[in-house]
Amino acid sequence: MADYVEIFEVGPRDGLQNEPGEIDVADKIALVDCLSRAGFRRIEVASFVSPKWVPQMAGSAEVLAGITRAPGVSYAALTPNMRGFEDAMAAGADEVAIFASASEGFSKANINATIAESLERFAPVAEAAHAAGVPVRGYVSCVSECPYDGPVAPSEVVRVVTALREMGCYEISLGDTIGRATPERIDAMLAEVIKAVPAAQLAGHFHDTSGRAVENVEVALGHGLRVFDAAVGGLGGCPYAPGAAGNVATETVHDRLVALGYETGLDREVLTKAARMAQTMRGGAIA
Ligand code: HMG
Ligand code: MG
C-alpha cells in the first residue's frame, strides 16, 4: 500500500487572510463546503485574532456557524490568546492553533510580542484547550528567513519548537512564512529540529514566493515528514503585491505527491473545482 501523506488545507485561513478585497462570508462558506467534499482530514477555516490586525478574518464565527460539517473532518482555528480561544470554542472549532515565530522581528510585527512574551501568552491557551480536550497545533514562523531579521539559525527554530512541544502541541507546523527558503536551508533546519521532535509530530508549511515550495516539500519528505500545509488555488500572498504567490497550491502538492507514489486520499476533481472557486475569490473579484 502506498505511503499516506496528509495535506492540511489552510486556504480558507492562511490564504484568505491575505486577500486584499472583501470576501463575503457566504463565499468563504461555499469554499469550505467544497473543500469538505475533497477528502481532507483537517481544514483551517477561521482565525480569532484582532480584526484590526487581520480584517479578512473578522467573520470567522459566522464561517464556522455556516459550514456543513463533513463527518471525520476537523475544522481548525488560530487562537493568539485566551480571548481568541474562548471565541473559537464558542464558535465550535474542533481544534485550535497557537502561532509563534523563530525570529524576534516577525514575532513583534505579527503578534506585537517578543517570542518569550508570546509563549507566556500561549501557555494558558494550551492549558485550557487540554482541559477541554481540544487538540492544539503549534506553528513556528520564519523557520529559515525573517523579513525583518534575515536568515534564522536552526537552533532558534529548535528552541521554539521545543517550547511548543512542551506545551502539549500534538503537531508543530514549520513555516517558511515568506517563501524564501532554499531546499538546502530547509534540509539543514530539519536535520536539527528532528533531533528535538520526531518527524511524525512535524508538518511543513511552505509559501511559494520563490517557486521552491515543492522542492522543500520533497526535502521534508526525505526527513520523514508526512503532513504538509497548502492552500487550494495557491491562495494568499501579499496584499500589496497582487498576483504574488501565497501558500503552495494544494493541487500542486497533491499532484507531486501522487507522482512520487504517495496516497493523499483527496479527490482531484473536487480539488480542481475548489481551486477554481479560490481563483475567482482572488483579488476580491467574486463572480
Ligand atoms: P495587541 O494590539 O498587541 O493587543 O494585539 P491588545 O490586547 O492590546 O489588543 C488590541 C485590540 O485587539 C483590542 O481591541 C483587543 O480587544 C482586541 P481595542 O481595545 O483596541 O478595540 N483583541 C482581539 N479581538 C478579537 N480577537 C482576539 C483579540 N485579542 C485582542 N483574540 C494580538 C495582539 C495578538 C491580538 C494581535 O497582534 C493580533 O491579532 N495578531 C494576529 C496577527 C495574525 O493573525 N497574523 C496572521 C496569522 S500568523 C500566520 O499567518 C503565519 C502562519 O501561517 C505560519 C507561517 O506561514 O509562518 C500561521
Ligand atoms: Mg502561512
Side-chain angles (χ1 to χ4, degrees), residues 29 33 56 69 86 91 130 148 166 168 183 194 225 249 257 268 274 276 280:
I29 291 170
D33 284 349
Q56 199 62 271
R69 286 165 183 258
E86 280 152 18
H130 294 136
Y148 308 99
E166 282 167 3
I194 276 164
L225 273 69
L257 289 171
R268 187 61 169 90
R276 275 199 213 109
T280 315

Coordinates of all heavy atoms in Angstrom, one line a residue, residues 29 33 56 69 86 91 130 148 166 168 183 194 225 249 257 268 274 276 280:
I29 N -17.9 30.3 3.1 CA -18.6 29.0 3.5 C -18.7 28.1 2.3 O -18.4 26.9 2.4 CB -20.0 29.4 4.0 CG1 -19.8 30.1 5.4 CG2 -20.9 28.1 4.1 CD1 -21.1 30.7 5.9
D33 N -17.2 24.4 2.2 CA -18.1 23.2 1.9 C -17.6 22.4 0.7 O -17.7 21.2 0.7 CB -19.5 23.7 1.6 CG -20.2 24.1 2.9 OD1 -19.7 23.8 4.0 OD2 -21.3 24.7 2.9
Q56 N -9.7 40.6 7.3 CA -10.3 39.5 6.5 C -10.8 38.3 7.3 O -11.7 37.6 6.8 CB -9.2 39.0 5.5 CG -9.7 38.3 4.2 CD -10.7 39.1 3.4 OE1 -11.9 39.1 3.6 NE2 -10.1 39.8 2.4
R69 N -20.7 20.6 8.1 CA -19.5 19.8 8.6 C -19.6 18.3 8.0 O -20.6 17.7 8.1 CB -19.5 19.7 10.1 CG -19.1 21.0 10.7 CD -19.4 21.1 12.2 NE -19.1 22.4 12.7 CZ -18.0 22.6 13.5 NH1 -17.2 21.6 13.8 NH2 -17.7 23.8 13.9
E86 N -11.4 31.4 23.7 CA -12.9 31.4 24.1 C -13.8 31.6 22.9 O -14.8 30.9 22.8 CB -13.1 32.4 25.2 CG -12.6 31.9 26.6 CD -12.2 33.0 27.5 OE1 -12.5 34.1 27.4 OE2 -11.4 32.6 28.5
A91 N -17.6 29.3 19.0 CA -17.9 29.2 17.6 C -17.9 27.7 17.1 O -18.4 27.4 16.0 CB -17.0 30.0 16.7
H130 N -6.3 21.8 26.6 CA -6.1 20.4 27.1 C -7.2 20.1 28.1 O -7.8 19.0 28.1 CB -4.7 20.2 27.7 CG -3.7 20.3 26.7 ND1 -2.5 21.0 26.9 CD2 -3.6 19.9 25.4 CE1 -1.8 21.0 25.8 NE2 -2.5 20.3 24.9
Y148 N 12.3 40.7 8.6 CA 12.9 41.8 9.4 C 14.4 41.5 9.9 O 15.2 42.3 9.9 CB 12.1 42.1 10.6 CG 10.6 42.3 10.2 CD1 9.7 41.3 10.4 CD2 10.2 43.6 9.7 CE1 8.4 41.5 9.9 CE2 8.9 43.8 9.2 CZ 8.0 42.8 9.4 OH 6.7 43.0 9.0
E166 N 6.6 21.2 24.5 CA 6.4 21.1 26.0 C 5.0 21.6 26.4 O 4.5 21.1 27.4 CB 7.5 21.8 26.7 CG 8.8 21.0 26.7 CD 10.1 21.7 27.1 OE1 10.0 22.9 27.5 OE2 11.1 21.1 27.0
G168 N 2.4 20.9 24.9 CA 1.5 19.8 24.5 C 0.9 19.9 23.1 O -0.1 19.2 22.8
P183 N 15.9 24.8 -0.6 CA 15.9 23.4 -0.1 C 17.1 23.1 0.8 O 17.0 22.3 1.8 CB 16.0 22.6 -1.4 CG 15.4 23.5 -2.4 CD 15.8 24.9 -2.0
I194 N 14.6 17.7 14.0 CA 14.3 16.3 14.2 C 15.0 15.7 15.4 O 14.5 14.7 15.9 CB 14.4 15.6 12.8 CG1 13.2 15.8 12.0 CG2 14.7 14.1 13.0 CD1 13.3 15.5 10.6
L225 N 8.8 13.7 7.2 CA 7.6 14.4 7.4 C 6.5 13.9 6.5 O 6.8 13.6 5.3 CB 7.8 16.0 7.2 CG 8.3 16.8 8.4 CD1 9.7 16.4 8.7 CD2 8.1 18.2 8.1
A249 N 0.2 25.7 -3.6 CA -1.2 25.3 -4.0 C -1.4 23.8 -3.7 O -0.5 23.0 -3.9 CB -1.4 25.5 -5.5
L257 N 2.9 14.7 -5.0 CA 2.9 13.5 -4.1 C 2.4 12.3 -4.9 O 3.0 11.2 -4.7 CB 2.0 13.8 -2.9 CG 2.5 14.8 -1.9 CD1 1.4 15.2 -0.9 CD2 3.7 14.3 -1.2
R268 N -9.3 14.6 -6.8 CA -8.7 15.6 -7.7 C -9.7 16.5 -8.4 O -9.5 17.7 -8.6 CB -7.7 14.9 -8.7 CG -6.9 15.9 -9.5 CD -6.0 16.8 -8.6 NE -5.1 17.6 -9.3 CZ -5.3 18.9 -9.8 NH1 -6.4 19.4 -9.6 NH2 -4.3 19.5 -10.4
A274 N -12.6 23.4 -6.3 CA -12.3 24.3 -5.2 C -11.2 25.3 -5.6 O -11.3 26.5 -5.3 CB -11.8 23.5 -4.0
R276 N -10.8 26.5 -8.6 CA -11.4 27.5 -9.5 C -12.2 28.5 -8.6 O -12.1 29.7 -8.9 CB -12.4 26.8 -10.4 CG -11.7 26.3 -11.7 CD -12.7 26.0 -12.8 NE -12.2 24.9 -13.6 CZ -12.7 23.7 -13.6 NH1 -13.8 23.4 -13.0 NH2 -12.1 22.8 -14.4
T280 N -11.4 32.6 -8.3 CA -12.4 33.6 -8.5 C -12.4 34.6 -7.3 O -12.7 35.8 -7.5 CB -13.8 32.9 -8.6 OG1 -13.7 31.8 -9.5 CG2 -14.9 33.9 -9.2

